[in-house]
Amino acid sequence: MIRSYIIIALRSFKKNVGTSLINLFGLSIAFALFILLFLYINSELSTDKHIDNIDNIYSLHDKNNHSIFTNAMFAKFMYGRYPEIKRTCTSFVWDAPFYRKDGHSVHFDHYGAVDSTYFRMFKNKAILGSLENALDEANGLVLTESAAKALFNDQNPIGKVVMMHNKYNFIVNAVIPDIPENSFYQADCFLALKSFLTISKGLVTNPGNWSLTTFVELEENSDIKSLEEKISKDLLKEFGRETNFGLIPYADLYFSDVHIPEEFEHGNKQFVFLFIGIALFIIIIACINYINLTTAKAASRAREVGIRKVVGAHKRKLIFQFLTESIILIYISLIIGFLLAELFIGEFNALAETNFRVKLFYTFPYNIYFLSAALGLGLISGLYPAFALTSFKTIEVIKGKISKSRKGLVTRKVLMIFQFVISMVMIAGSIVVFLQIDYVKHTNIGFNKENVIRLKTNEERAFENAQSFKSDLLAIPGVEKVSFCYAVPGEVGHGMAGEVNGEKIKMRCLEIDPDFADVMELEFVSGRNFSKEDKSDYQRSYLLNEAAIKKYGWEDPYSIKFWGGFRLVGIVKDFNFESLHLPIKPLYMPFWGDLDNIAIRINPINQKAIIEQIENVWENRYPEIPFSYNFLNEIIDQQYKDEEQLSKVITYFSIFALIIACMGLLGLTSYMIQQRYLEIGIRRIHGGDVSSIVKMLTFQFIKWVILAFIISVPLSYYALETWLQNNFISHVELKWWIFVISGLFVIIISLLTVIVQSIRAATINPIEALRYE
């Protein structure tokens, strides 16, 4: 029985080869696009699933400040105090160069400084060495497999010495597998946090330093709410810092909106939902094509249905036959879709900056998911055509009296309108995302980000120890200004806390020197810059931004002193030291600290030669550290990388969605015009010209595309305005022309599709048209 169904299905495909190819091609492209998008969706939704006990791991959460930044002493204080807490672990993530004894070095973008409990909490496994006591000593080091290969090639690194900054010695005690790419916590290596008692003691002993993260592993079925209340009360009593502490599940951190260290990976759930929507809509558009073309062809298969009914075929078996055809088409399309996905995975990875492999979906359980989903899709998309094709009355069919269902026509038009509404919304979305990215790159952010490069010296107290290096840089023709700072805008990651007249205050903190304001071209609202001549400003003075004055309402801010007598000397105009996703926060800028970053403003002319000379000066000063620099505008633009990728993906996929929709329109118009050949022939015989017939045929379809445009405008406006309001403090306005362009683009493509078919029909020999009927 099944065999006969398959044979009949293949004969039907062969008989209606044009319609079958349109369906096959549209579904295959849709599946390929769905597979590529689902690789991204699956990666995002499976973040950290490799951690066995993830449900019991939490991060200490400062609810008042909506962040996970904590002090290094909290973990030790909590451990053993509460029966609910099984383990605690403090973590700090940064970047640094690591050296072998022979001078070979590798710069790791992420190293994790962690307590010795880290590997017991996250249950990593060692490839080489042992994790049991790997970080018990201050000089303990654990490398990932890639880091070990980069440093030691194929040599066994266990027991070998590695130097951070070519200064601090560590011994490799273990090698672990690479951290999965879709992990919240990414690191190339792990070193013992207690090593910072030597490297930077204040990081782990200063009660005012809140730049670390505290993780806790709880016992099963712990009462979270009760534990949070105890932790908040006890931390306030012990450390005197009033805040409301909570515990946020580690599994929630990747998609959370809490303030996290910038070195951690962070996902965007809106993007995931959007990509799910795009993937589903593309499949729906292709299925609509199948339904429309199959039901439009109903009349051509009516006689087949009638004869089979006469010879005893039951309606149930006929429905099963047409569902079989649908399922076969879906499975063939799925196979071709996988082949196309394999063909274009390289381009997709380049577009989305990922490293996905389609072969992931060949393994269990993904292969079962796809096969089951394809079966379900075949049944769903085939049900309506199956019932439509088996609903004809047998006697009327045999006599050739096949009435055209008005209900069927309306259904096809509604489905076609839906296709084009989705296409227009996606195109409008791609335009708006592109405009917003262009806006954030070129809007006035309160400082001049152009022609500034940033170097990282990794030198302690660089401002004090590297003034001769600064003089050498300024001697280079084309180097205009040089400043030492702790970070640059776009990378301001830590803060300060204090008390003014009994009021608790908290601000972001950026340590700078007197030249920073000149390099960034900041504007002063009042007061002055740090003095280069008066040494008393160093380690005794600070600047504030306007947002700090506004938030705390200080009438005489110059009388306020912080941190043992630091005095305010100037107030700068607000500037966006973070992205335009966020409002401008209070910023505290003291003249002190390590200041190990160097910001250099260079002439825009012949920058390549200027940078080459800077490299020469660098190599004379730091011969052991590879020269590396970043342009400030690139650092700023990196904050909008997700939106840039979103723009590219939406643009490409909306174009493909439109192509699939137009393929359906091509098949539908071809068939519907074919049904009017007799009418066209009669009109031609009675003097109808080609242009009038083309207009008549074209209007029958384009009016529904125009209706789709009318429906798409309010939908697009609402969706895009909501996205802009929720994600950007400052954003573009939604102009009318955005929607007109998206509508015109779809209408013109659709018009060309229909006109080609209409001209071919209108220019046919009238005699041939009459013979056709």
Side-chain angles (χ1 to χ4, degrees):
M1 181 67 73
I2 297 295
R3 181 173 178 272
S4 66
Y5 287 157
I6 294 174
I7 292 172
I8 294 170
L10 294 175
R11 286 175 181 171
S12 175
F13 295 158
K14 184 177 180 180
K15 182 180 179 181
N16 301 286
V17 65
T19 302
S20 298
L21 285 176
I22 288 175
N23 281 328
L24 186 65
F25 191 54
L27 284 166
S28 298
I29 292 176
F31 276 127
L33 298 176
F34 181 88
I35 290 164
L36 295 175
L37 280 175
F38 201 71
L39 283 168
Y40 168 82
I41 295 165
N42 177 71
S43 175
E44 292 291 286
L45 295 182
S46 60
T47 298
D48 290 322
K49 297 299 183 189
H50 63 282
I51 302 174
D52 294 336
N53 57 330
I54 191 170
D55 292 337
N56 294 325
I57 301 176
Y58 292 76
S59 174
L60 198 59
H61 174 209
D62 179 357
K63 291 183 178 180
N64 286 355
N65 296 298
H66 206 45
S67 79
I68 62 170
F69 288 98
T70 62
N71 183 264
M73 293 182 280
F74 288 0
K76 185 177 180 180
F77 174 78
M78 291 189 295
Y79 182 67
R81 187 176 295 270
Y82 311 102
E84 298 94 333
I85 295 180
K86 187 175 182 179
R87 292 186 183 92
T88 62
C89 176
T90 306
S91 167
F92 173 74
V93 180
W94 203 241
D95 70 298
F98 287 77
Y99 294 79
R100 291 190 322 216
K101 278 191 170 182
D102 61 4
H104 172 71
S105 68
V106 179
H107 188 280
F108 292 142
D109 292 330
H110 299 93
Y111 72 81
V114 296
D115 288 329
S116 60
T117 55
Y118 178 86
F119 295 110
R120 300 184 189 102
M121 182 180 292
F122 290 93
K123 302 189 185 305
N124 299 75
K125 295 179 181 178
I127 300 174
L128 297 172
S130 171
L131 292 173
E132 186 64 29
N133 302 303
L135 299 182
D136 285 355
E137 300 299 326
N139 63 351
L141 178 67
V142 174
L143 298 174
T144 61
E145 191 172 10
S146 293
K149 191 175 181 67
L151 274 170
F152 295 99
N153 297 317
D154 296 326
Q155 300 176 42
N156 187 338
I158 301 301
K160 294 188 176 178
V161 175
V162 174
M163 293 176 287
M164 185 171 74
H165 297 309
N166 209 18
K167 183 176 182 181
Y168 304 103
N169 289 346
F170 292 89
I171 297 175
V172 180
N173 290 324
V175 176
I176 62 173
D178 290 342
I179 307 297
E181 291 182 1
N182 60 335
S183 297
F184 170 70
Y185 195 131
Q186 290 284 350
D188 301 297
C189 64
F190 296 86
L191 52 88
L193 181 65
K194 62 178 68 174
S195 65
F196 275 82
L197 289 170
T198 301
I199 298 171
S200 180
K201 187 175 181 180
L203 178 72
V204 292
T205 60
N206 183 357
N209 190 321
W210 282 42
S211 56
L212 297 93
T213 307
T214 303
F215 300 121
V216 298
E217 182 181 357
L218 304 184
E219 299 286 357
E220 294 284 348
N221 304 315
S222 296
D223 187 338
I224 306 297
K225 187 174 181 180
S226 172
L227 180 59
E228 287 179 334
E229 291 174 355
K230 290 186 287 187
I231 288 174
S232 281
K233 180 181 176 181
D234 292 345
L235 287 178
L236 172 61
K237 182 178 179 180
E238 180 69 16
F239 296 98
R241 181 137 174 196
E242 188 173 352
T243 188
N244 179 19
F245 279 105
L247 296 171
I248 184 170
Y250 187 89
D252 294 346
L253 287 173
Y254 184 70
F255 286 119
S256 71
D257 59 353
V258 299
H259 185 206
I260 63 174
E262 63 184 31
E263 293 79 21
F264 289 179
E265 295 297 314
H266 194 255
N268 189 319
K269 215 158 197 174
Q270 288 186 7
F271 288 0
V272 175
F273 289 140
L274 179 61
F275 285 1
I276 290 173
I278 293 173
L280 291 177
F281 280 135
I282 287 174
I283 291 291
I284 290 170
I285 288 172
C287 289
I288 287 173
N289 284 350
Y290 174 77
I291 293 169
N292 274 345
L293 292 176
T294 304
T295 53
K297 283 280 188 179
S300 65
R301 299 196 65 180
R303 192 175 298 276
E304 172 197 341
V305 173
I307 293 173
R308 294 181 67 186
K309 282 185 176 182
V310 168
V311 297
H314 295 290
K315 184 176 182 178
R316 180 172 56 83
K317 290 186 177 181
L318 291 172
I319 290 174
F320 193 79
Q321 166 64 50
F322 292 120
L323 287 177
T324 301
E325 293 181 12
S326 173
I327 292 167
I328 290 173
L329 182 66
I330 291 291
Y331 275 122
I332 294 174
S333 301
L334 180 62
I335 293 170
I336 298 174
F338 269 106
L339 294 174
L340 291 174
E342 288 281 14
L343 185 63
F344 293 108
I345 186 63
E347 285 74 10
F348 180 79
N349 281 333
L351 178 69
E353 296 183 19
T354 53
N355 191 32
F356 298 138
R357 296 289 183 270
V358 178
K359 65 181 180 181
L360 171 69
F361 291 153
Y362 302 154
T363 59
F364 180 84
Y366 297 107
N367 48 12
I368 302 300
Y369 294 158
F370 272 92
L371 291 174
S372 301
L375 177 62
L377 195 62
L379 292 172
I380 292 170
S381 58
L383 274 176
Y384 179 73
F387 279 102
L389 289 167
T390 57
S391 62
F392 295 116
K393 294 179 180 179
T394 307
I395 301 299
E396 290 184 357
V397 167
I398 297 299
K399 289 181 178 180
K401 299 177 180 179
I402 305 170
S403 59
K404 294 180 180 178
S405 168
R406 178 175 178 80
K407 184 179 178 181
L409 289 172
V410 171
T411 302
R412 285 194 290 275
K413 289 170 183 174
V414 169
L415 292 175
M416 183 176 69
I417 290 170
F418 177 79
Q419 284 181 309
F420 286 105
V421 167
I422 297 303
S423 298
M424 291 176 189
V425 170
M426 289 176 66
I427 291 171
S430 63
I431 294 173
V432 170
V433 174
F434 173 81
L435 291 174
Q436 179 62 21
I437 293 169
D438 185 70
Y439 172 80
V440 297
K441 284 185 176 181
H442 296 97
T443 192
N444 181 10
I445 55 177
F447 65 95
N448 186 357
K449 65 180 181 179
E450 303 300 328
N451 305 312
V452 175
I453 64 172
R454 188 275 307 273
L455 308 178
K456 284 188 175 183
T457 67
N458 297 315
E459 181 170 353
E460 294 179 15
R461 311 196 75 82
F463 175 77
E464 295 178 2
N465 300 328
Q467 283 295 321
S468 61
F469 177 52
K470 177 180 179 180
S471 299
D472 292 341
L473 289 173
L474 287 170
I476 298 172
V479 172
E480 299 176 350
K481 299 169 186 175
V482 178
S483 167
F484 289 93
C485 53
Y486 183 79
V488 293
E491 294 185 343
V492 179
H494 67 295
M496 61 80 68
E499 185 174 315
V500 176
N501 300 326
E503 180 186 13
K504 301 285 185 180
I505 63 165
K506 186 173 182 179
M507 290 184 276
R508 303 303 292 278
C509 182
L510 174 60
E511 296 94 331
I512 60 175
D513 75 352
D515 291 302
F516 184 85
D518 292 333
V519 170
M520 298 299 166
E521 298 180 6
L522 302 180
E523 294 182 37
F524 278 81
V525 175
S526 65
R528 62 174 175 83
N529 192 6
F530 300 123
S531 173
K532 297 179 184 180
E533 292 76 25
D534 186 356
K535 301 300 181 182
S536 65
D537 273 356
Y538 185 46
Q539 297 187 335
R540 286 187 174 85
S541 59
Y542 66 92
L543 306 177
L544 289 177
N545 66 349
E546 291 176 294
I549 310 301
K550 292 174 186 174
K551 179 173 180 177
Y552 295 108
W554 293 321
E555 294 182 3
D556 184 14
Y558 289 96
S559 65
I560 296 170
K561 293 186 175 6
F562 288 131
W563 286 357
F566 271 62
R567 66 183 186 277
L568 176 67
V569 297
I571 300 171
V572 299
K573 190 173 182 180
D574 281 340
F575 64 98
N576 293 93
F577 58 90
E578 295 179 300
S579 77
L580 290 177
H581 293 110
L582 304 168
I584 297 177
K585 299 174 183 176
L587 181 64
Y588 174 76
M589 293 173 282
F591 179 19
W592 81 309
D594 284 344
L595 306 180
D596 58 355
N597 281 238
I598 300 179
I600 308 171
R601 178 166 293 282
I602 61 176
N603 195 289
I605 299 173
N606 201 14
Q607 290 187 341
K608 184 178 179 181
I610 297 172
I611 293 172
E612 287 176 354
Q613 293 182 69
I614 292 174
E615 182 176 6
N616 293 334
V617 173
W618 173 275
E619 290 175 348
N620 289 332
R621 172 74 185 188
Y622 306 106
E624 74 285 359
I625 304 177
F627 177 72
S628 178
Y629 69 93
N630 302 96
F631 273 98
L632 179 59
N633 61 342
E634 294 174 350
I635 295 172
I636 300 296
D637 293 346
Q638 189 71 10
Q639 299 173 112
Y640 312 106
K641 182 182 71 174
D642 288 346
E643 283 76 18
E644 284 201 79
Q645 292 175 345
L646 176 66
S647 175
K648 294 174 184 176
V649 171
I650 291 180
T651 300
Y652 280 97
F653 280 75
S654 61
I655 290 172
F656 276 113
L658 179 59
I659 289 172
I660 295 170
C662 285
M663 285 171 57
L665 181 62
L666 176 67
L668 193 60
T669 54
S670 177
Y671 179 77
M672 299 300 287
I673 289 173
Q674 190 180 77
Q675 300 303 301
R676 301 182 69 175
Y677 271 180
L678 178 60
E679 176 190 347
I680 292 169
I682 293 172
R683 285 178 179 271
R684 289 292 309 280
I685 289 172
H686 285 81
D689 60 4
V690 172
S691 62
S692 63
I693 294 174
V694 169
K695 288 177 184 177
M696 175 196 69
L697 295 174
T698 302
F699 181 73
Q700 293 297 316
F701 292 95
I702 293 303
K703 64 182 178 182
W704 303 117
V705 182
I706 293 173
L707 178 60
F709 166 68
I710 295 171
I711 295 171
S712 74
V713 171
L715 290 177
S716 302
Y717 183 88
Y718 174 77
L720 294 170
E721 183 67 18
T722 301
W723 177 71
L724 289 170
Q725 292 284 354
N726 290 341
N727 289 277
F728 294 93
I729 296 301
S730 180
H731 57 77
V732 294
E733 292 184 18
L734 294 180
K735 303 289 188 180
W736 61 268
W737 57 264
I738 295 172
F739 308 102
V740 171
I741 288 176
S742 66
L744 283 176
F745 183 74
V746 175
I747 289 171
I748 289 171
I749 298 298
S750 306
L751 197 61
L752 292 173
T753 304
V754 176
I755 285 176
V756 170
Q757 296 291 317
S758 300
I759 291 176
R760 191 172 71 176
T763 55
I764 194 172
N765 189 323
I767 304 300
E768 293 297 325
L770 295 175
R771 282 178 180 171
Y772 175 85
E773 292 292 333

